Amino acid sequence: MNLDKQKLKQSVAKAGKALWNSFPILLGVILLVSIITVLIPTSAYSFLFRNNFFDSLMGSTLGSILAGNPITSYIIGGELISQGISLVAVTAFIVAWVTVGLVQLPAESMLLGKRFAITRNITAFILAIVVAVITVGVLTLI
Amino acid sequence: MTSEKSYTGWYFLLIVIAIYAIVLFIAPDKVLKSLGVFVGIIVKVIPIIVLVFILMAVTNYFIKPSFLVKIMGKKSGVLGWIIAIITGIISTGPIYMWYPLLADLKKKGVRQGLIATFLYNRAIKIPLLPMIILYFGLPYTIILTIVMMIISVIQGLIIEKLVGVKK
């Protein structure tokens, strides 16, 4: 197979740039997760996440507010699970993280229309909980 | 837009560093403990970051944006939804990078529902699958992926009902 060297260079550079752009956010979030793990005891989280319904609502809300590379949401999600938070809540969190973007909402409104952006984000917020409940439901069944 | 976004990231990092500085004054031992946790997470994440980088470069090399424009630009029924799902999954980079292209497609007559479906499927990223499998396991990843694909079409249909079908 013949590889186009110039194109390969560009592809690698683009991938590097994409990763570099998310680097400060990734680093910041890992640092934040680290210090929160040390400063805030697990009991504080279990206070935030108590029963299944409000768990997923809380997860979806947190995921909507926070934004960034999906990898970051997996890291936070993994940490939340290790702290005993339910899989439904964590799933709602990681789904809302990528499908709801409060940070990107102004850009989305400007380019794709206000009505479209707002409707899309609100429905995505609700659907994050639906996805979480179905996913965990199916996972429990099999 | 790119620089705006990357600056936001750096500001965020600065704020986090400031938090560390404040905690350093109040409880230096907590900072030391936090850095220990930090190193632990980094060690776990680095190999996957390398893998993600390689997969991203490979995706960039083999999938042309113009190819995506071509197959997304055509208005179609079931095929349109399938294309929206597939292109949403294979597209890479930050989500906001795609807004200008999507706005262009919308002007050219692409259904809003397809755009919403495309955006929803950007949640499923092939290069990131190893990472999500590592954190949550294979069965979970498979189920979540399938559920999200189905829900993405439902969201597209809801959007068209609420916002209206633009042709």
Side-chain angles (χ1 to χ4, degrees):
Chain A
M1 188 173 68
N2 276 332
L3 281 176
D4 181 344
K5 270 191 184 166
Q6 186 65 30
K7 198 184 165 195
L8 186 69
K9 233 183 188 174
Q10 281 177 348
S11 303
V12 171
K14 210 178 140 198
K17 203 183 160 204
L19 272 186
W20 175 250
N21 280 343
S22 53
F23 169 76
I25 300 166
L26 205 58
L27 195 66
V29 165
I30 298 174
L31 278 168
L32 202 60
V33 165
S34 305
I35 202 159
I36 286 170
T37 308
V38 172
L39 291 181
I40 303 170
T42 318
S43 53
Y45 280 116
S46 34
F47 176 75
L48 266 180
F49 295 85
R50 205 176 276 169
N51 67 56
N52 255 348
F53 177 73
F54 287 109
D55 263 12
S56 49
L57 204 64
M58 178 62 72
S60 194
T61 307
L62 270 179
S64 304
I65 297 165
L66 300 166
N69 195 304
I71 303 170
T72 317
S73 75
Y74 306 154
I75 296 166
I76 299 176
E79 294 301 315
L80 286 174
I81 282 184
S82 69
Q83 280 160 17
I85 282 88
S86 82
L87 191 58
V88 176
V90 172
T91 306
F93 171 77
I94 61 172
V95 172
W97 179 284
V98 269
T99 56
V100 187
L102 287 185
V103 180
Q104 297 107 315
L105 192 61
E108 192 177 335
S109 295
M110 278 186 277
L111 289 160
L112 298 173
K114 204 174 176 181
R115 201 174 150 84
F116 173 87
I118 292 170
T119 313
R120 198 194 67 78
N121 278 278
I122 292 172
T123 49
F125 172 81
I126 300 161
L127 288 171
I129 299 168
V130 176
V131 168
V133 171
I134 296 173
T135 303
V136 177
V138 173
L139 194 69
T140 330
L141 280 176
I142 54 168
Chain B
M1 231 177 172
T2 310
S3 58
E4 220 176 85
K5 179 81 182 178
S6 58
Y7 276 135
T8 314
W10 290 108
Y11 288 142
F12 171 69
L13 182 59
L14 274 179
I15 291 168
V16 176
I17 291 169
I19 293 170
Y20 268 77
I22 294 165
V23 178
L24 188 67
F25 272 109
I26 305 164
D29 58 312
K30 297 276 186 198
V31 170
L32 218 65
K33 252 189 184 170
S34 303
L35 290 176
V37 177
F38 172 76
V39 172
I41 298 175
I42 288 289
V43 168
K44 199 174 166 188
V45 158
I46 278 179
I48 295 116
I49 300 253
V50 173
L51 185 66
V52 166
F53 173 73
I54 293 166
L55 287 171
M56 273 169 92
V58 169
T59 314
N60 286 340
Y61 185 85
F62 288 104
I63 296 153
K64 283 184 199 156
S66 59
F67 170 71
L68 293 181
V69 173
K70 203 176 146 196
I71 55 171
M72 276 289 284
K74 283 189 179 172
K75 187 166 62 75
S76 48
V78 180
L79 189 68
W81 297 105
I82 295 169
I83 289 169
I85 291 171
I86 295 170
T87 50
I89 293 171
I90 59 179
S91 58
T92 56
I95 197 159
Y96 59 89
M97 299 270 281
W98 293 86
Y99 292 155
L101 173 71
L102 294 174
D104 194 46
L105 286 174
K106 195 181 152 195
K107 264 188 217 155
K108 282 176 183 155
V110 167
R111 292 164 67 175
Q112 306 216 56
L114 289 185
I115 294 172
T117 300
F118 172 89
L119 288 173
Y120 208 87
N121 278 288
R122 289 190 43 82
I124 306 162
K125 292 272 76 78
I126 292 163
L128 299 181
L129 285 181
M131 187 86 169
I132 194 164
I133 291 167
L134 176 92
Y135 271 97
F136 303 100
L138 187 61
Y140 173 89
T141 308
I142 294 169
I143 296 165
L144 180 67
T145 305
I146 295 168
V147 172
M148 287 199 69
M149 282 180 193
I150 297 164
I151 292 289
S152 76
V153 176
I154 293 172
Q155 197 201 20
L157 293 170
I158 293 171
I159 293 281
E160 288 193 345
K161 263 266 184 298
L162 294 176
V163 184
V165 185
K166 267 219 174 136
K167 290 190 179 172

